[in-house]
Amino acid sequence: VLLAAYVGYLGLGAVVLQALERPAEVQAAQNLLREHWELLANYTCLRGPALQRLIEGIIQAYKSGITLQGNTTSLGRWDYSGSFFFSISAITTIGYGNLSPSTAVGRIFCIVFALFGIPLNLVLLNEIGQLMLLGVQHCARRLEELFHWQNKASFLMKTCALVTGLLLFLLLPPLLFCDKEGWSYEEGFYYSFITLSTIGFGDYVIGMNPDRTYPSWYKNVISLWILFGMAWLALVIKFCINILE
Amino acid sequence: KAMCSGKLQTALLVAGYFVYLLVGAAVFQALERTAEKQEKMAAAQMKEAFLQNFTQLTVAEMEQFMKNLVEAIQNGVYPVGNESQFEESNWDFSNSFFFAGTVVSTIGYGTLHPKTAGGQIFCVFFALFGIPLNIVFLHRVGKMLSLLCKKLGKFLYEKGMRKKKIKFLTLLFFLATGILVFLCLPSVFFQITEGWSYSEGIYFAFITLSTIGFGDYVVGKQSDRKYFSYYRVLVAVWILFGLAWIALLFNL
């Protein structure tokens, strides 16, 4: 029965997403094709195959993370801060993928690095989660003593913790992203959730826009947010699992 | 005194965690920086060469074209070929199903991702309920796998081995067969179907099963190859059992 529910759930998601995304995609493809043909029409010296090759070259470059803008290519992304962020994305299993090792040695190192890093990350998250839980229970007990409530206090504290966590990790950060990244609130929220759940598509990544300047504390604060947010979300999901089982 | 040592442990853990990240970052940077520089130079050269051949186009127009092109690529549209591209969509059912799987398992390759606001919000809620569901499901599958190990343990016990030795052996067996079935064999398989090298296959297998899922290697995405019809289903089954195996490994 579980298997059926699982597969059914996946199928449902697939259908809905398909319905939502397909029209937009067709639109984008049509627009590009129109431009493509316009360009060819205007500059008849650009022969088809050569253009094809150029396009393929650009796609290839893009896939390895390089965009050609202006006279120079985009800033080096394997600088220290970029590499640090990459390490985080590897051991938290977020795995954005906007930056990924292209050398064979880099990849092997990545495997070994993750092999030890992921358990380490899990242990740390567990610790943080336990601390959070302890804190909540502590407060609950204090409330019980103060007001002589019984079970109500624990329930109240749990919902309080849930709401604060929600605010702190999911509802407020998008505002920061609105300001620093120029995303809409919905995009910020989407990014927050996709990151904290470790899905990490990589379609939105902070600090990747070459036209914007970021304050020096930005990436560090975000890293902290990721850490605590993941611990919190893991607790919430554990809770959901306990309900399911 | 116990509390003191507990706090010390946590502090050490946190410190160790960050040291780990820092060391990793330094190593990545050292390994990747030069390769990236070379690729950038190659890309710039390509652009130069192209412009030199077609002096009709001004640089500004070229920039504009490339900007548009990159935008399209970012939206997942690869403009190679002509009209026939419209028939195949990135969001046909099989792809969407695969996508849903990557969301729920938290792998999240990112080669396909929702671009409409509605799709994104739906994705969030879909994951919110799907991830716990996935974990519970994997637990069940893992239990099935562990039953096999228990059978092996019983068999050995009847043969008269000591309990400790049995435990060790079953663990070893579990580890070894798992690595073989979920990492080594699939890599060989991918060598044939995707044309990757063996190390690339292992890299892909590991990145997928650990749910990191960078998305730099994804199955079934090369337009110039023919895949047999149940390829992706097979890969999905592999991912499922591989994930369950890893989950079990963590519980042991």
Side-chain angles (χ1 to χ4, degrees), chain A residues 50-214:
Chain A
L51 182 66
Q52 207 74 301
R53 254 179 290 124
L54 174 69
I55 292 178
E56 274 162 13
I58 294 178
I59 292 176
Q60 217 31 52
Y62 180 82
K63 280 193 179 158
S64 18
I66 298 166
T67 49
L68 300 153
Q69 280 174 341
N71 281 329
T72 59
T73 51
S74 56
L75 337 145
R77 299 186 311 149
W78 283 107
D79 57 4
Y80 193 76
S81 125
S83 310
F84 186 76
F85 209 63
F86 173 79
S87 305
I88 294 182
S89 81
I91 62 175
T92 52
T93 79
I94 295 178
Y96 286 126
N98 65 329
L99 206 58
S100 64
S102 50
T103 61
V105 190
R107 288 200 282 257
I108 295 178
F109 175 73
C110 186
I111 291 180
V112 177
F113 184 72
L115 199 60
F116 295 104
I118 294 177
L120 176 65
N121 177 69
L122 287 175
V123 168
L124 182 71
L125 284 187
N126 207 23
E127 281 284 327
I128 297 181
Q130 295 293 359
L131 283 174
M132 284 184 182
L133 213 59
L134 275 176
V136 169
Q137 283 170 344
H138 197 73
C139 284
R141 230 173 297 140
R142 276 278 183 79
L143 270 183
E144 271 179 33
E145 285 170 17
L146 271 173
F147 294 110
H148 299 287
W149 292 336
Q150 284 303 342
N151 296 321
K152 270 202 203 158
S154 135
F155 180 69
L156 188 68
M157 270 324 292
K158 287 214 173 109
T159 31
C160 218
L162 191 71
V163 171
T164 8
L166 211 69
L167 265 172
L168 210 63
F169 299 120
L170 278 182
L171 296 177
L172 286 181
L175 293 174
L176 179 66
F177 296 137
C178 256
D179 176 47
K180 295 276 176 244
E181 301 281 342
W183 298 334
S184 74
Y185 184 80
E186 177 270 323
E187 287 173 327
F189 177 75
Y190 170 71
Y191 167 77
S192 306
F193 184 82
I194 293 295
T195 298
L196 292 187
S197 61
T198 81
I199 297 178
F201 287 130
D203 47 355
Y204 294 90
V205 185
I206 58 147
M208 283 290 151
N209 203 333
D211 309 319
R212 289 182 156 258
T213 45
Y214 302 102

Side-chain angles (χ1 to χ4, degrees), chain B residues 1 5-6 25 37 44 49 63 71 77 83 86 93 100 113-114 137 141 158 165 175-176 180 219 239 243 247 252:
Chain B
K1 203 172 185 198
S5 81
K37 256 199 198 144
E63 298 296 344
E71 247 186 63
V77 179
E83 302 287 336
F86 283 122
F93 189 76
H113 54 263
F137 179 72
V141 176
E158 280 160 15
K165 204 171 180 192
L175 204 68
L180 200 73
V219 287
I239 292 180
L243 284 178
L252 283 174

